[in-house]
Amino acid sequence: MDDLRISQAPKTLREIALERVRSAILEFRFQPGARLTERDLCAQLGVSRSVVREVLRHLETEGLVQTIPHHGPIVAKLDRDAAAQIYEIRGLLEASAAFAAAEHAGADAIEKMGTAMNDIESAYAAQNHRAVLAATTRFYETMFLCGGKAVAWEMVQRLNGRISRLRAMTIASAGRHVSGPAQMRKIHDAIRRHDPAAAATACREHVARAGAIAQTLLSQQQDS
């Protein structure tokens, strides 16, 4: 009777609503600065106000929602200075994780990262940016954990909402479907060769290029 065992608990309404609103923000269906009224979200999601309030509180902890006094919750605006700090933190943590992964990664982890890379390229080809984000997260999670950087990965996860939002913006930019995967392939290849210095360098270069793209896009948004 083992085939009857439930291996994963069903998602709650709150979890489903959280995923839907988060995706709408990451995919820019809800634009930065847009008001998030409880009544509209209840109608759009088909859930109660208590669920909507929980979702908004959670997204505020992720940095995706901001509550303005006497105005209410809005989609948090992207800030160039904050973005620069996030990319700086990413560069430090990811380069360290790549270095450690190149030292310690076993065949299973290297294969898992390779599968994630294939999924990233397939998702880009299908213009499925949500799938690009999911596969990219799998790649980095494997890289951090196989190198023994679990605490560093927890730190990245705390910034994941804002990282994903910036990543969603940069992956949609012109030519990123080519340059992004190519840069990540360099990271994976260096880890596969067990070359720590090359893996760390490839990571820093990838993050620096993504950060430069983000700064350009944010400047254009502010000027428009």
Side-chain angles (χ1 to χ4, degrees):
M1 302 294 287
D2 288 344
D3 58 325
L4 296 180
R5 183 179 296 276
I6 299 173
S7 59
Q8 184 175 356
K11 292 181 179 179
T12 65
L13 269 179
R14 177 190 174 280
E15 290 171 329
I16 296 170
L18 177 61
E19 289 178 358
R20 299 279 172 85
V21 179
R22 184 191 288 119
S23 293
I25 293 173
L26 293 180
E27 294 167 9
F28 295 96
R29 285 181 282 159
F30 293 159
Q31 291 291 320
R35 286 193 66 190
L36 297 170
T37 62
E38 290 182 6
R39 181 183 299 174
D40 289 345
L41 289 173
C42 287
Q44 291 170 323
L45 295 166
V47 298
S48 68
R49 286 203 173 198
S50 62
V51 170
V52 167
R53 286 169 187 158
E54 287 182 34
V55 166
L56 292 176
R57 280 197 296 267
H58 186 97
L59 292 174
E60 191 165 9
T61 68
E62 293 184 7
L64 296 178
V65 168
Q66 179 182 4
T67 299
I68 305 298
H70 312 299
H71 185 75
I74 65 169
V75 177
K77 295 181 180 180
L78 295 163
D79 178 86
R80 288 186 63 196
D81 291 338
Q85 291 180 55
I86 288 169
Y87 281 107
E88 181 181 8
I89 293 168
R90 273 191 60 192
L92 293 169
L93 293 178
E94 290 175 18
S96 175
F99 190 99
E103 288 184 314
H104 303 295
D108 289 347
I110 292 170
E111 182 180 359
K112 190 174 181 180
M113 281 185 278
T115 299
M117 279 305 316
N118 293 336
D119 291 343
I120 289 168
E121 291 168 346
S122 297
Y124 264 118
Q127 297 185 335
N128 186 341
H129 292 168
R130 187 182 300 184
V132 172
L133 287 173
T136 300
T137 298
R138 292 202 316 273
F139 178 92
Y140 283 113
E141 181 178 18
T142 303
M143 184 181 79
F144 273 78
L145 297 184
C146 78
K149 297 292 184 178
V151 174
W153 179 245
E154 289 176 10
M155 294 172 67
V156 171
Q157 288 296 89
R158 293 191 187 106
L159 293 170
N160 194 50
R162 280 172 280 191
I163 289 173
S164 293
R165 194 166 175 208
L166 290 164
R167 188 172 281 148
M169 182 175 63
T170 59
I171 65 175
S173 63
R176 197 58 180 166
H177 66 290
V178 176
S179 63
Q183 291 160 12
M184 291 183 69
R185 280 285 181 192
K186 289 179 65 176
I187 300 169
H188 181 246
D189 288 344
I191 292 172
R192 183 173 48 80
R193 298 194 314 269
H194 297 289
D195 187 338
T201 297
C203 244
R204 283 191 290 267
E205 290 176 352
H206 176 52
V207 173
R209 290 179 186 178
I213 293 170
Q215 289 296 324
T216 298
L217 294 173
L218 290 172
S219 293
Q220 291 172 352
Q221 288 179 8
Q222 290 177 358
D223 293 341
S224 61

